[in-house]
């Protein structure tokens, strides 16, 4: 099992950040590596909600990723699962209101945990663990930067 954790400070209220994060129909509009989102369930956002994203890989190819909401506690915590080949992923988003530079902002922490589900998943994790962790960290940082830009724009419009 390997875990990557990244925190970013977003200059917007947690409710605005949360709203942007869980608005699946517009996700491809603010996430630069997402080319499309397909909802796999109906109804409101919450535990059981599932969707598929088409993401652009660093090599320029496309990759489909599916996500399932395990827990949603607006505007504080979101837990997702995503199946992989030989490994499953759990992604936990935690939003906390903090004071930074004498202004209120939201500390967003993303914890990405990979859990091998097959024997070869453990071998791959051992061989490529560091390289994979760096790639995951880079992807999380890009997504958080995109979330910050989109959320900051929401705050500026609302102000």
């Amino acid at each position: 099992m390997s875990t990557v954790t990244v925190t970013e400070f977003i200059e917007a209220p947690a409710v605005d950040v949360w709203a942007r994060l869980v608005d699946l129909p517009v996700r491809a509009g603010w996430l630069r590596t997402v080319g499309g989102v397909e909802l796999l369930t109906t109804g409101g956002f919450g535990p059981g909600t599932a969707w598929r994203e088409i993401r652009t890989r660093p090599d320029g190819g496309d990759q489909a990723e599916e996500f399932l909401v395990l827990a949603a506690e607006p505007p504080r915590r979101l837990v997702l699962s995503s199946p992989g080949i030989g490994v499953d992923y759990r992604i936990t988003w935690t939003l906390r209101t903090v004071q930074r530079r004498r202004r209120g902002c939201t500390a967003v922490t993303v914890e990405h945990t990979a859990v091998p589900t097959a024997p070869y998943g453990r071998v791959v994790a051992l061989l490529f663990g560091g390289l994979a962790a760096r790639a995951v960290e880079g992807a999380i940082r890009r997504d958080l930067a995109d979330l910050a830009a989109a959320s900051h724009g929401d705050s500026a419009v609302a102000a």
Side-chain angles (χ1 to χ4, degrees):
M1 183 169 79
S2 65
T3 300
V4 174
T5 304
V6 178
T7 298
E8 176 70 38
F9 295 94
I10 298 178
E11 292 192 17
V15 294
D16 291 350
V17 176
W18 177 270
R20 177 62 66 189
L21 181 62
V22 302
D23 189 355
L24 300 178
V26 300
R27 221 171 145 76
W30 61 266
L31 273 168
R32 67 185 120 166
T33 59
V34 174
V37 174
E38 176 188 359
L39 293 171
L40 302 175
T41 55
T42 59
F45 188 92
T49 299
W51 74 95
R52 180 181 300 118
E53 294 180 355
I54 305 302
R55 287 195 170 244
T56 304
R57 296 186 315 247
D59 66 5
D62 288 338
Q63 175 178 339
E65 293 185 26
E66 290 188 9
F67 298 93
L68 172 67
V69 177
L70 299 178
E73 302 162 15
R76 298 172 297 140
R77 186 170 167 265
L78 175 63
V79 182
L80 307 173
S81 69
S82 181
I85 299 172
V87 66
D88 284 343
Y89 303 99
R90 178 168 294 216
I91 305 106
T92 302
W93 295 73
T94 306
L95 287 68
R96 293 181 296 116
T97 300
V98 297
Q99 291 295 314
R100 190 163 189 245
R101 296 183 205 131
R102 291 192 242 166
R103 293 171 35 172
C105 68
T106 303
V108 180
T109 300
V110 179
E111 181 179 277
H112 187 282
T113 302
V115 180
T117 58
Y120 65 87
R122 289 178 180 82
V123 172
V124 170
L126 287 172
L127 294 174
F128 300 108
L131 180 60
R134 285 190 295 280
V136 167
E137 180 180 351
I140 292 170
R141 288 191 186 284
R142 274 190 304 279
D143 287 356
L144 283 170
D146 290 350
L147 179 60
S151 297
H152 184 68
D154 284 350
S155 293
V157 171

